[in-house]
Amino acid sequence: MLLIAQNHLQLIVEVGLMLFVSLVFFLNLIPLSLSVVTFLSLFLMGGFTLLFGADIALLVISSSQAEFTHPFGPLALLGAVTALASLKVMKESGVDIRPLRRFVILFIGCITIFGGLMHRSFLILWLLGLFLGYLMISKSFREKSVFTLRRVLIFIGAAGVGFILLEVIARVSGMTIFSPLLRMGRIEQYSLSSIKTVLNNIQLIGHNAKASYWGAEGTAFAEGYITLPMQFVLFFGLPFPMFFGVLVNQKDTIDYMLPGIFGWGFDFGILGLVGLMVFVLGTILIGFKILNIYREKREKNNKKYLGREVLLTGALAAFCAQALIGMFVFNRSINGMALLTFIFVGALILANVVTLKSRE
């Protein structure tokens, strides 16, 4: 009985531990050479290009969509940065990367367009992740940054043009889902009242029961505002509070319209928020420490860890971008299915600790 989760937070922790152990075995038992990791990253990018493209096509044709960008956007980012890092390693080794580079650029371009049309939050995460990935790759190979003032200004200008084009498309087509102004208006409408709700009712553990939808019948802690996918919880038949149907609107004020630090603080209390921040900062610091070790081994002409180095680079870029967007912009980016992705990428980073130690 001790292994059966009693609430959403315990389930999140247990799933995280299981993913960590699984990935430790994965990294130790499967030989991840540079060629294997490069192939997997290209396969991942190609798959998500098709998935995001099909999603936006369904939106245009039938006005229905699955919104794959929220849960799978970080995985697409992991694949993209990993592929870019792989190309850099191969180029340093004298390999002609031009054919592969064309595929990578094509996939990045398509994912940017398809994902950006579906969700502006994904576009922010995607561009931020690519930016962080380029910085990591430049740092790993001791190069000057590719980002000059001129390029940054061009990027900002392109982003502004894209914003205007999306608004034009929304008004011409009548599909308000494309409108950035509508999204900003919804955030403005709901976020302030939600922030007040959180700040006035947050406690050391959980929140004031009167502020919860469930009221006196609720637990005032881990009530499902922050959770793993609903289908995942139902599959195991766990008796946790769940938001169904119309009730989801009651959750949205804590879920979608707030930065993650408020959502986690409300559902798990101040201690839960501290735990999240310790996990995020610890994972990032450990990841960069291991990445530095991998770089030193590569510079000593040790090619044993090349595959793991580029994979770790992609995982770090994806994790950092998702953490920043989820914690400080949109809670939805680290909630539900996206939370499972977040835990997976974090566990992938931490699993390198055991892998590295076992091979010393």
Side-chain angles (χ1 to χ4, degrees), residues 131-321:
F131 173 77
L132 293 174
Y134 266 114
L135 288 180
M136 292 178 195
I137 294 170
S138 299
K139 180 70 173 178
S140 291
F141 288 89
R142 305 185 187 279
E143 295 179 339
K144 292 182 178 179
S145 175
V146 296
F147 296 99
T148 62
L149 178 60
R150 179 173 176 273
R151 289 177 178 175
V152 171
L153 292 175
I154 292 175
F155 172 79
I156 294 174
V161 171
F163 182 95
I164 295 172
L165 287 177
L166 281 173
E167 190 63 34
V168 170
I169 291 173
R171 302 202 176 195
V172 171
S173 65
M175 300 181 70
T176 55
I177 191 172
F178 290 134
S179 173
L181 292 179
L182 175 64
R183 297 285 176 167
M184 294 173 64
R186 288 184 64 197
I187 293 172
E188 181 182 3
Q189 180 180 357
Y190 294 107
S191 61
L192 290 179
S193 60
S194 298
I195 290 175
K196 290 180 180 178
T197 298
V198 173
L199 294 180
N200 292 332
N201 294 281
I202 189 172
Q203 297 178 353
L204 188 64
I205 299 177
H207 52 267
N208 185 348
K210 295 181 180 179
S212 169
Y213 170 79
W214 314 105
E217 297 179 359
T219 61
F221 173 77
E223 293 189 310
Y225 291 98
I226 306 297
T227 180
L228 291 172
M230 184 180 294
Q231 296 80 0
F232 187 87
V233 178
L234 294 176
F235 177 79
F236 290 101
L238 299 172
F240 300 162
M242 301 290 291
F243 289 87
F244 292 95
V246 177
L247 297 184
V248 172
N249 294 328
Q250 302 292 332
K251 178 187 176 184
D252 276 349
T253 56
I254 302 297
D255 175 15
Y256 186 67
M257 299 299 174
L258 281 180
I261 55 174
F262 291 102
W264 279 74
F266 182 81
D267 209 17
F268 303 132
I270 296 174
L271 291 181
L273 176 58
V274 171
L276 171 67
M277 298 179 70
V278 168
F279 167 71
V280 170
L281 292 175
T283 300
I284 292 173
L285 292 175
I286 291 172
F288 277 111
K289 177 63 176 179
I290 299 173
L291 187 63
N292 187 56
I293 294 173
Y294 284 158
R295 181 186 66 181
E296 292 175 354
K297 291 183 178 294
R298 170 171 47 81
E299 292 176 343
K300 294 177 181 178
N301 206 30
N302 184 345
K303 299 181 180 180
K304 187 183 296 184
Y305 300 96
L306 291 180
R308 289 178 172 80
E309 181 184 0
V310 297
L311 181 60
L312 180 58
T313 302
L316 271 171
F319 186 82
C320 291

Side-chain angles (χ1 to χ4, degrees), residues 87-106:
L87 292 179
K88 186 62 180 177
V89 172
M90 288 188 284
K91 183 179 180 181
E92 291 288 317
S93 302
V95 178
D96 184 7
I97 63 171
R98 286 176 293 181
L100 285 177
R101 185 178 179 83
R102 294 191 188 100
F103 278 106
V104 172
I105 292 175
L106 175 64

